[in-house]
Amino acid sequence: MSAQSTKADWQTASQTSPDHRSGIDWRQLGIISVFLAASLGLVSFVLLWQFDDNVLSHQQAGEVALADWLAPKTQSYQSAVKTRQLGDAAASRVSNLEYKRDTALVSRERDRLEALLRRLTTARSMGTDVATLAADPVVNAAGLENSQLLAILNLPDGPWDQVSQEARTTFSIEMNRDILPDGEFSAQNSLRDSVYTPYTISDTFARLDQAARNLTVALIKSNIKANNVIDEAATQKKRDAARAEVGPATVDIIKGTALIRRGDVLTPLQIEELQELGLHNFSYNWGLVAGTVGLVAILLVLLVYYCVTLTPQIWTTLRWPVFLTLCLTVAALAMRVLVVGADKDSTRPYLLPLAAVSMVIAALFDVNLALFLATLLALLTGLSDSSPHLIMVFFAGGVAGALVIRKAEHTSVFAWAGIAVAICQFAVAACATLLNQNLDAFNLGMLLLYSILNGLISASLAFFCFSVLGKLFGVATVLQLLELAHPNQPLLRRLIREAPGTYHHSILVSNLAEQAAERVADNALLARVGAYYHDIGKLSRPSYYIDNQAGGNNIHDELDPRESARLICSHVSDGVALARKHKLPRKVIDIIHQHHGTCMISFFYQKALKEGLDVYEIDFRYPGPKPQTKVAAIVMLADGCEAAVRANVQSGRILTGRTSSIPATLVADSPATKTLTIREVVDKIIDDRIKDNQLNECDLTLRDIAEIRNLYVEILTGIYHPRLIYPDKDSQSATVKTASAENHLVTTEAREVPVALARVPVEAMPVSVTAGAADSGGKSVTEPTERLNPTREDGQRPGPTFSLKGDKPRIGGAGRKLDKSEKDDTRL
């Protein structure tokens, strides 16, 4: 089944709008809105949906883990927790501390030292005992021992003055050094070694004895404090710089490694790893949600605009939007299963049979829409996994499958499409892997294996959907059409038994329609099957149609012309009802519905006018609609041409033998007179349909119509070909036997014609071209020669068919049964 033929199904999806090129109405806008809402909701839900099956999903850092958890996949990510930890470590380095001199502390400690020296000098002058002096708060704060206090009290004034002075000097020297907070204890403990250093000791201190030196150190020890404090502003600035130097930290999760052990205290880093793997809290990132919904909405709007612009008929019914929504949703679900969560280097995504969607769309609908959907789905795949190379892989596979399967006329085309998908996806995947510089023999083998499996799965799914979903959604597939074309079908068997004439006519029409469809590159199989069933409505009343009367009485001779026209028209509606009852495909039903368009049943209309009845032309027209597709128009033209040619052959107006049916005397008197030809009849039928605007709503071009004309003439000439004349031993008269495709013999006897007949004016002789004679209740339309036989380019008029009984019309095989005298008159 070709893409052109499936497009035809869209064009006939709705009979409420005769002009399929009209704009979008409110009903179609409603269908579009429903499609957008449903597709956007389903696809976004599938891409964002998560399932909570993890007992750790709601635990927090600091809690005891309730279960073991292994990494379900390999993944690398930039860790905010680890980056923060590394930044804190860099900022906390000692080298980042900045200090400044605390001058207030130095002054405060000097004042304490002076207060101590004054108190000790006073105690010496007042003769204070050791116990009383030790209880003094100032002395007690200095931390002097009783033995040291006793030595001070017993020290002569001269040495005491020297000790006091050296205490002040030594304090100044020591406090001029930088003493950090963590170096205060060390400075106090190393004070004795510091002041005893030769290059720091003063000359005065050097002249003191050992006891005086020890007293000097004891006096100032408690006053040696850290004179540098941390400069908070400078330190913070340096810490910030250290944090900035630490780049984003990457955490590598290896599939199968233990992330958490039961009983461990959960750390912030472990919680973060669970969140990155989608296993913790399931708290949606609303930015991710908004971005995903927005991108899906944009792609769907582009799809809708594409369909509105190029194939607006898709919105005339809910079937096609439902089918597209189903395809998009199933494709998104397959992406979640095979693509989302796969390892970066995994070959699992290459099993995604995304090409099956474009293959089904190309086979059932239209190859252009299939190519657009292949692009859209490839973009969705990249969105679901952020993998640009997958976009290229699935785009190539989808396009290849759609292009190969665009004419699904044979089941083998699905196999070739699967091979094309495998080859294209393997080639693109290999090139993408080569760009990443990780292509080796193993990867190449896995890519080849997965590409072959993908092509096999895609072809199988496409064939299954083509066979099952096509019938479910009313699309006529090749298999279904082949099944309907089998003669054992119930409706065809009924035609053979109950309406053999209609069946034979349908067979001839199907031959014409099939070859015409092939000539204009349309669905030939659909044309054949549609022609088989186009007249099944005649099964309701077979005897009402001349092709099934078998020489019996014609009921229309006794009916009102308006009632006859109504009965003739009813075979269309009856056929549609019968087709729906037997669940024929929609496209076949449309052909039944449209094969007469709104043509005029001219015989009964003219009859009503002659009888003086009050008539309206619309009462004598078929209800329509006009053909909406090439196939329907081809069947219409084939039906009319075959019926008209057969009627004129049977009535003798078209010659099929070597002996002319026109009397020799008449020909002699009027050399310009000749009978009708098959080309003239075919041209008239087709021209009448064009003038009646019956082909205005289908896609037939002037070139198509010209090719159909020539083809129908060629085929009908072959059907009604002449045979050799065999002599009759028992009769003196010559008998010409002409075989038609119906295997009937038309016998023309040579006989004398009255001389008076030769004097009948040619212009006054009637000629009949029967258009759809088999549907006209067995009547043919007889019109003046000037109207039906216009002058040709060579200046000659097509020859008329003569009537020997005045203006009484000659119906022949297409009308009522002829009486004996009329039969004799037609043997010319």
Side-chain angles (χ1 to χ4, degrees), residues 710-820:
N710 295 331
L711 181 65
Y712 284 178
V713 171
E714 178 184 347
I715 296 174
L716 290 171
T717 301
I719 292 175
Y720 300 104
H721 60 279
R723 287 289 184 91
L724 293 176
I725 303 174
Y726 297 93
D728 189 349
K729 297 180 180 179
D730 300 327
S731 175
Q732 297 298 323
S733 61
T735 302
V736 180
K737 297 181 178 180
T738 303
S740 67
E742 299 162 314
N743 294 325
H744 293 293
L745 295 179
V746 178
T747 303
T748 305
E749 297 182 358
R751 54 176 294 180
E752 293 184 359
V753 181
V755 177
L757 180 62
R759 291 192 288 269
V760 179
V762 173
E763 292 78 2
M765 296 179 182
V767 62
S768 175
V769 176
T770 305
D775 292 338
S776 300
K779 302 293 183 178
S780 62
V781 182
T782 302
E783 299 186 13
T785 302
E786 292 81 3
R787 178 179 177 184
L788 293 182
N789 294 334
T791 302
R792 301 181 310 194
E793 294 181 1
D794 58 1
Q796 302 297 325
R797 288 178 179 270
T801 299
F802 300 98
S803 172
L804 301 182
K805 290 192 175 183
D807 58 355
K808 186 174 182 180
R810 290 291 167 262
I811 306 303
R816 59 181 175 80
K817 182 179 179 182
L818 301 180
D819 56 30
K820 185 176 184 303

Side-chain angles (χ1 to χ4, degrees), residues 156-326:
D157 291 338
W160 169 245
D161 291 338
Q162 290 180 351
V163 169
S164 299
Q165 184 59 38
E166 288 303 322
R168 294 185 181 92
T169 302
T170 303
F171 173 81
S172 299
I173 293 173
E174 290 297 321
M175 292 302 287
N176 281 333
R177 300 174 182 173
D178 289 331
I179 303 176
L180 300 179
D182 57 351
E184 180 177 314
F185 180 77
S186 177
Q188 290 176 350
N189 291 335
S190 62
L191 179 61
R192 184 175 180 275
D193 297 333
S194 176
V195 298
Y196 276 44
T197 303
Y199 60 83
T200 60
I201 191 171
S202 63
D203 294 339
T204 306
F205 187 80
R207 290 193 293 270
L208 294 176
D209 59 14
Q210 188 64 37
R213 290 181 181 182
N214 292 336
L215 287 177
T216 301
V217 172
L219 287 172
I220 67 173
K221 183 177 181 179
S222 64
N223 300 111
I224 301 302
K225 302 290 185 181
N227 57 8
N228 280 337
V229 295
I230 296 176
D231 188 344
E232 295 295 340
T235 299
Q236 187 61 42
K237 183 177 181 181
K238 200 167 183 180
R239 286 174 174 172
D240 292 342
R243 283 193 177 93
E245 291 177 359
V246 177
T250 301
V251 172
D252 296 324
I253 302 175
I254 307 301
K255 181 178 180 180
T257 58
L259 295 178
I260 297 172
R261 296 294 185 185
R262 184 174 182 178
D264 291 346
V265 177
L266 294 173
T267 64
L269 182 59
Q270 290 174 322
I271 297 299
E272 184 189 50
E273 289 174 343
L274 291 178
Q275 291 174 344
E276 288 296 326
L277 293 172
L279 304 174
H280 189 263
N281 272 343
F282 293 98
S283 56
Y284 283 103
N285 183 337
W286 292 109
L288 176 64
V289 173
T292 300
V293 173
L295 290 175
V296 173
I298 292 173
L299 294 177
L300 289 176
V301 169
L302 291 176
L303 175 62
V304 169
Y305 184 75
Y306 175 90
C307 293
V308 168
T309 304
L310 300 181
T311 54
Q313 301 75 33
I314 194 174
W315 308 115
T316 57
T317 177
L318 279 173
R319 286 182 307 172
W320 312 126
V322 168
F323 190 87
L324 287 179
T325 301
L326 180 63

Side-chain angles (χ1 to χ4, degrees), residues 646-722:
R646 176 164 50 90
N648 284 279
V649 167
Q650 291 176 350
S651 64
R653 297 182 178 90
I654 294 179
L655 294 180
T656 59
R658 295 190 176 184
T659 304
S660 173
S661 63
I662 302 176
T665 55
L666 186 58
V667 174
D669 291 345
S670 181
T673 303
K674 64 177 182 179
T675 58
L676 289 175
T677 65
I678 291 179
R679 175 169 293 279
E680 290 169 339
V681 176
V682 169
D683 286 345
K684 173 166 177 53
I685 294 300
I686 294 177
D687 290 340
D688 285 348
R689 297 296 187 268
I690 295 174
K691 293 176 183 178
D692 200 23
N693 299 321
Q694 297 300 315
L695 306 180
N696 283 7
E697 296 177 14
C698 67
D699 295 330
L700 281 179
T701 64
L702 293 176
R703 177 178 295 179
D704 294 337
I705 294 174
E707 291 183 354
I708 291 172
R709 287 178 192 266
N710 295 331
L711 181 65
Y712 284 178
V713 171
E714 178 184 347
I715 296 174
L716 290 171
T717 301
I719 292 175
Y720 300 104
H721 60 279

Side-chain angles (χ1 to χ4, degrees), residues 4-5 8 513 517 520 522-528 530-531 587 591 594 627-637 698 700:
Q4 295 91 336
S5 66
V520 299
D522 214 299
N523 191 344
L525 180 58
L526 176 63
R528 170 172 286 278
K587 287 188 286 189
I591 291 175
Q594 301 166 16
Q628 304 291 302
T629 66
K630 285 185 178 182
V631 173
I634 287 171
V635 173
M636 166 189 273
L637 298 179
C698 67
L700 281 179

Side-chain angles (χ1 to χ4, degrees), residues 345 347 426 429-449:
D345 298 327
T347 52
F426 170 72
C431 292
T433 307
L434 189 61
L435 287 175
N436 296 329
Q437 298 181 354
N438 59 351
L439 183 64
D440 52 28
F442 177 77
N443 287 339
L444 191 65
M446 292 301 296
L447 286 177
L448 179 59
L449 175 61

